[in-house]
Amino acid sequence: MAKNILICDDAAFMRMMIKDILTKNGYTVAGEAENGVKAVEKYNEVKPDLVLMDITMPEMDGIEALRKIKEQDPSAVVVMCSAMGQQAMVIESIQAGAKDFIVKPFQPDRVLEAVSKVLG
């Protein structure tokens, strides 16, 4: 069965790139969100198998959105995405419950490796 994935990134171009990588490899994109507030709403709406969450977003950042999702669903599987040089934020997101992180710019094989690793 195809796994449903929620993509959360404030850049439409990034969401499109990730969606392209995932759909070409048999995954289903259950939804997209452009900020942390929408990410939490969408999560509750679509109940995805996995969330790919950007750290730096308007309204509510990815770490805050991760915490809110984990509060509502402790079994949520979230992989954080961040630009180079955000090690402190990566550590904070892992402590908040993220399963892995991917560094931008995305390498398709790294995205797929993270996704298949956390989804088993």
Side-chain angles (χ1 to χ4, degrees), residues 18-103:
I18 298 169
K19 185 177 189 171
D20 191 51
I21 294 167
L22 296 172
T23 53
K24 279 182 179 161
N25 288 278
Y27 294 100
T28 303
V29 174
E32 296 181 29
E34 65 277 1
N35 62 52
V37 174
K38 292 260 191 294
V40 176
E41 285 170 13
K42 257 307 190 216
Y43 183 86
N44 291 321
E45 198 181 295
V46 299
K47 296 281 188 252
D49 300 303
L50 170 69
V51 180
L52 290 176
M53 179 89 70
D54 185 22
I55 291 179
T56 312
M57 291 188 292
E59 292 187 50
M60 180 194 295
D61 71 30
I63 295 171
E64 187 60 30
L66 165 68
R67 288 195 179 107
K68 291 220 180 314
I69 289 170
K70 283 296 224 179
E71 258 169 43
Q72 296 163 5
D73 180 2
S75 67
V77 179
V78 181
V79 172
M80 302 303 282
C81 308
S82 78
M84 284 291 201
Q86 294 184 312
Q87 277 81 358
M89 287 176 151
V90 167
I91 290 164
E92 191 181 341
S93 60
I94 300 290
Q95 288 168 340
K99 297 282 186 224
D100 199 355
F101 67 93
I102 308 167
V103 176

Side-chain angles (χ1 to χ4, degrees), residues 2-22:
K3 296 289 188 179
N4 291 321
I5 300 174
L6 174 61
I7 302 170
C8 309
D9 197 305
D10 56 329
F13 173 72
M14 284 296 177
R15 293 197 307 272
M16 189 183 73
M17 264 178 57
I18 298 169
K19 185 177 189 171
D20 191 51
I21 294 167
L22 296 172

